[in-house]
Amino acid sequence: MSINHRRISLTIASSLFLEVINKISPLLILHHAQKTLGLPDFGWAQIQLALFETLQPLVTFGFASYALAETSSKGDETPHLQNLFSHIFVAKIINAAFVSILYLASLHARGLAIDATSLGILAIVMLAGVFDFYWIAIVKHKIANISLISGLFRIISLIAILRFVKDPGDKALFVGLSLIPNALISIGTGLISFRFLKFSRLAGPRIKEIFYKSSPFALLVLVITILERADIFAVERSYGLAVAGAYAGPAKVVQSLSMVISSLSLPFFAEILKVNDRDTLAKHVSLSLWCLSALIAPIVFGMPFIEADVIGILFTNVSSSVDHIVSLLSVGMIGTIFVSVFGLQLLMAKGRPWPIIKACLVYVVLVPMAIWMGRDQFGLQAVALSVIVGKILVGLACLYAAKAYLPKIPWLTFFKPFMAGACMGLVLWLLHLDGLILNIAVGAVAYAIAMLVSNFREFKEIAKHPRLKRYFERWL
């Protein structure tokens, strides 16, 4: 099976559109929320978001990953999809009821009030989990459409937050408005899937089978979710809400940038699902690794030169304790690339979640311990360094497990963009430029030139796309 350049290019383009919005919207939201809520209430809001985002995987329970793996092996004919859709929908309802009861019971046990706000936010999260059938969009290669609609919802959410969140008393409203865009997309995918698939006859044994076979994937989704949020929980536990609020701003900036990796991984995952030939699989993995590395390299090497300006613009009331946190956390995205390409794309397509689960569990246990041990001597630097080392080790563990499916590891594909990024960083260091815009402009030019020189063969391969070939072939 050859690589479908046209479909991948279209999906990547729409994903990039979404990510442009995803980058601008969170930055504006973070600036507005931290200024209007104040550090303690902003920290509370981020803890609540992290908590509810951790609850949702308990509802979705890895059903999507199981469905994609089964579709990869058994095909995507309508009767098969209809059977999966119907039984997974019922299984999610059971999970949502169970999770809601446990969550409300935990609030009662801790003596916390169960008010209308808590119930409303819980309902949003549970409905989103039950109706989320994004995996059908992946199977049917409809990611581009979903990305465009998601971008629109995020813009509306941004406007609502800027308009209605005005003081610390609006912290619960901020949490709700932050969750709504993803909830609407999830509910929309479920309604569209129902429209085209309808319900098939239900069978109890089939629901049990899906629960059993989805369990490893459920654990994977949970540990991946905790992987991205363990640091904020550890900071709150070690330093308190005010420091957590200060740390959450820079951490959310990097988390927002990391979403580029997740978003652009989906087109490649959708293609890898149907690939069994080792050589073709290697080409997909190599292309995915190169694309993600090319996007992340300028962030890793360029962030130290603009971090102070970025923090100064976004956050007006953070202390010097967060200096260099964004730059350090950005390095951890190297590990995120490996996890995405070799773990969430390749290993998941082959139905092997356990290597990823084991690596993430080690991270979830050891990184908070490292943060706690280094908190007095290194402060928040201990958090960033622990995250860097932990994520890179998790990524290398996924790479090691994926070796069996590849003729060789495409190291050169990974290093070429980072060599170009290093050249860009060297230019910026030698010039000692002042100002955010000037650094970005000069860095972009330096990186583009370095990429063209060191990645000429890769650009030539991309130029083989039918619609681009006629524009590039005169220059190649």
Side-chain angles (χ1 to χ4, degrees), residues 14-88:
S14 63
S15 297
L16 281 174
F17 164 76
L18 174 61
E19 287 310 314
V20 169
I21 297 173
N22 280 342
K23 300 295 101 41
I24 297 174
S25 175
L27 296 180
L28 294 174
I29 289 173
L30 287 173
H31 174 75
H32 178 75
Q34 194 176 66
K35 182 174 67 174
T36 55
L37 298 180
L39 284 181
D41 287 310
F42 179 72
W44 177 90
Q46 293 304 316
I47 294 294
Q48 296 305 306
L49 286 171
L51 173 61
F52 282 114
E53 288 166 354
T54 305
L55 282 179
Q56 189 165 329
L58 299 176
V59 179
T60 55
F61 198 70
F63 295 129
S65 299
Y66 160 73
L68 288 170
E70 184 164 302
T71 302
S72 175
S73 61
K74 296 183 180 180
D76 57 357
E77 291 78 12
T78 297
H80 180 239
L81 289 180
Q82 187 180 53
N83 181 273
L84 280 173
F85 168 75
S86 303
H87 288 86
I88 287 176

Side-chain angles (χ1 to χ4, degrees), residues 174-350:
F174 170 73
V175 172
L177 290 175
S178 298
L179 293 170
I180 283 176
N182 285 338
L184 290 176
I185 286 294
S186 298
I187 293 171
T189 59
L191 294 176
I192 292 172
S193 298
F194 172 74
R195 177 183 176 187
F196 287 102
L197 294 176
K198 307 299 181 185
F199 281 116
S200 65
R201 179 175 296 179
L202 298 175
R206 176 62 169 153
I207 296 177
K208 292 180 181 179
E209 177 191 10
I210 289 175
F211 265 114
Y212 175 75
K213 292 185 176 180
S214 297
S215 296
F217 299 107
L219 182 57
L220 173 62
V221 173
L222 181 61
V223 296
I224 287 291
T225 303
I226 297 175
L227 176 76
E228 293 297 332
R229 293 162 180 83
D231 54 343
I232 184 66
F233 288 126
V235 170
E236 188 273 333
R237 180 70 62 177
S238 299
Y239 300 97
L241 278 177
V243 177
Y247 174 82
K252 290 293 284 187
V253 171
V254 178
Q255 189 181 68
S256 177
L257 293 172
S258 298
M259 288 174 62
V260 176
I261 299 175
S262 301
S263 178
L264 297 187
S265 294
L266 286 176
F268 295 102
F269 178 62
E271 297 294 329
I272 288 175
L273 277 173
K274 300 179 181 179
V275 174
N276 294 310
D277 176 67
R278 283 170 63 89
D279 292 333
T280 304
L281 187 62
K283 291 180 181 178
H284 275 285
V285 169
S286 181
L287 179 59
S288 176
L289 187 62
W290 184 82
C291 287
L292 296 180
S293 299
L295 286 167
I296 297 307
I299 298 174
V300 172
F301 288 96
M303 187 59 72
F305 301 96
I306 64 172
E307 178 180 11
D309 292 318
V310 171
I311 294 298
I313 292 171
L314 293 178
F315 311 113
T316 57
N317 53 355
V318 297
S319 66
S320 59
S321 63
V322 301
D323 288 348
H324 311 300
I325 293 298
V326 175
S327 296
L328 288 172
L329 291 177
S330 296
V331 178
M333 289 193 290
I334 295 173
T336 306
I337 291 176
F338 289 156
V339 173
S340 174
V341 175
F342 298 104
L344 300 181
Q345 291 180 42
L346 182 51
L347 291 177
M348 288 297 289
K350 299 303 178 183

Side-chain angles (χ1 to χ4, degrees), residues 387-403:
V387 169
I388 292 172
V389 175
K391 286 190 175 181
I392 291 178
L393 289 178
V394 172
L396 291 175
C398 294
L399 184 152
Y400 180 80
K403 286 173 59 178

